[in-house]
Amino acid sequence: MSRTAGCFGAQYIQRVLPPYVDLRPIGRCNLSCPFCFGPRHEMPTMRSAEALRIAGTLRQEGVQGVVISGGEPTLLPYLGDLVQELSGAHPDGGAPPRVVLSTNGLAPLKLMERVLPGLSWIALPLDSADEKENRELRKGVAPHQERVLGLLREVRKNYDQVSVKLGTVVTRRNVAGAPRVLDLIEDSFRPHVWKVYQMSETNYGADNASWLSIDDDEFEEVVARCQEAADEREVTLRVYRNADRAGTYFFIDPDCQVVVIEAGEERRLGDFFDLVRDDATGPAGLVQPFRNAANFVGTYPLDPRGQS
């Protein structure tokens, strides 16, 4: 089935993209986290015209949710325009995609005030209740822990329409402090979802796996302690396991390359714009829609306040 891509003035074959997409337009970051599995920091940043063009394509193709990440997306000079393009009223009257901003939490509040109205969710990181452990993993700006907690409180207090996901990456360096992260947060500012991540050995995570990785059994022990803490504080816990990565994610990197996970490794499929025009198998072929949707909806539910 073909149609005209109106804002581009070009014909292309309508491809069935997965329902949920991770857009990573920037590799650059103001932290140097040793476990990061995002794009390499030295990758050139996606140009604004390309990012907005991708956003328009995602909307036209009916993508239901987009996570904007990186690198650190708040370093993008056009972030406000990108969020607006994704979240604005759909020209055909349909619902726009739900937009998630995954950020390290260091951006000034004035910048966040321009972006927050267009978001459905914000994803913030805290890796340990122990400030020293957190500083070792979130390298580059201190006090990271304090800045994130401040932004979390601001969102929960003044932006009720924006839900909060707190993310914790479990490594050998924070097995003690990770399960106690919620102890840092007052009850009135609790996140809607707390997601605990097994460290992926991709990109910087692969570089540092020898001193950061823990095995599956050790990870599950930490998860069990996190579950106890989440139950006590009445916070929904979600868990990211490396065994579940394949077929789940559809990334668009700063160079406009589509990246999927196959056999635990990143596989680059080619340029996004070439793939959506191609009359061969669409770029979603290596993404399983059910797993893709279950991951996004489980992490960013439509009505988090209705959950226990």
Side-chain angles (χ1 to χ4, degrees):
M1 176 180 178
S2 64
R3 68 181 182 186
T4 302
C7 62
F8 312 141
Q11 288 287 123
Y12 68 93
I13 304 298
Q14 182 178 6
R15 308 313 308 167
V16 182
L17 295 176
Y20 301 97
V21 168
D22 287 76
L23 177 57
R24 308 191 292 196
I26 185 170
R28 185 164 59 94
C29 189
N30 47 6
L31 291 178
S32 300
C33 305
F35 54 78
C36 179
F37 61 87
R40 295 284 180 174
H41 298 330
E42 62 271 16
M43 287 188 73
T45 299
M46 188 182 292
R47 294 178 299 174
S48 61
E50 293 173 326
L52 295 175
R53 186 180 174 195
I54 287 172
T57 302
L58 298 179
R59 283 167 55 95
Q60 289 184 355
E61 290 296 318
V63 167
Q64 298 172 45
V66 179
V67 180
I68 304 173
S69 63
E72 175 46 45
T74 62
L75 299 179
L76 291 167
Y78 57 80
L79 178 61
D81 294 335
L82 180 59
V83 170
Q84 184 176 1
E85 175 64 25
L86 285 166
S87 63
H90 199 286
D92 298 331
R98 286 191 284 152
V99 181
V100 179
L101 179 67
S102 180
T103 171
N104 62 26
L106 295 175
L109 184 57
K110 284 188 176 181
L111 187 154
M112 296 307 302
E113 287 172 343
R114 297 198 297 269
V115 174
L116 283 163
L119 302 180
S120 296
W121 284 78
I122 187 168
L124 297 170
L126 275 179
D127 295 308
S128 178
D130 181 277
E131 198 276 335
K132 183 178 179 181
E133 286 184 358
N134 196 82
R135 187 171 64 249
E136 184 176 6
L137 294 172
R138 296 287 170 178
K139 288 181 173 292
V141 176
H144 174 265
Q145 190 183 79
E146 180 181 321
R147 298 272 291 273
V148 170
L149 289 170
L151 180 55
L152 188 154
R153 296 185 190 103
E154 174 68 19
V155 174
R156 294 291 281 118
K157 182 178 180 180
N158 295 318
Y159 294 89
D160 189 58
Q161 82 282 4
V162 181
S163 301
V164 177
K165 185 214 79 177
L166 192 67
T168 299
V169 181
V170 178
T171 74
R172 186 162 302 285
R173 300 296 184 174
N174 63 329
V175 292
R180 298 186 288 109
V181 160
L182 296 181
D183 293 347
L184 298 172
I185 303 168
E186 304 95 321
D187 283 345
S188 56
F189 300 131
R190 288 176 297 184
H192 299 91
V193 169
W194 180 25
K195 191 160 186 177
V196 176
Y197 292 79
Q198 184 174 17
M199 195 195 88
S200 297
E201 295 184 12
T202 305
N203 293 337
Y204 296 100
D207 295 346
N208 298 295
S210 62
W211 60 277
L212 283 181
S213 287
I214 59 175
D215 63 32
D216 292 349
D217 290 341
E218 291 175 294
F219 176 68
E220 294 302 334
E221 290 174 3
V222 177
V223 168
R225 286 187 281 140
C226 291
Q227 186 67 68
E228 291 177 4
D231 291 344
E232 182 179 342
R233 299 294 298 279
E234 298 183 329
V235 174
T236 299
L237 185 76
R238 293 290 181 259
V239 182
Y240 166 102
R241 296 176 173 89
N242 287 330
D244 299 330
R245 292 181 79 204
T248 299
Y249 296 94
F250 183 98
F251 298 107
I252 306 172
D253 267 7
D255 56 1
C256 297
Q257 291 283 309
V258 170
V259 178
V260 298
I261 306 298
E262 186 178 33
E265 302 290 336
E266 287 192 354
R267 176 176 172 186
R268 295 167 73 81
L269 299 184
D271 181 87
F272 174 82
F273 299 113
D274 292 339
L275 289 167
V276 295
R277 291 193 185 95
D278 195 354
D279 59 2
T281 302
L286 290 173
V287 179
Q288 299 174 28
F290 177 80
R291 296 183 70 170
N292 172 260
N295 175 68
F296 184 96
V297 175
T299 306
Y300 308 109
L302 188 60
D303 182 17
R305 295 155 185 83
Q307 291 192 359
S308 59

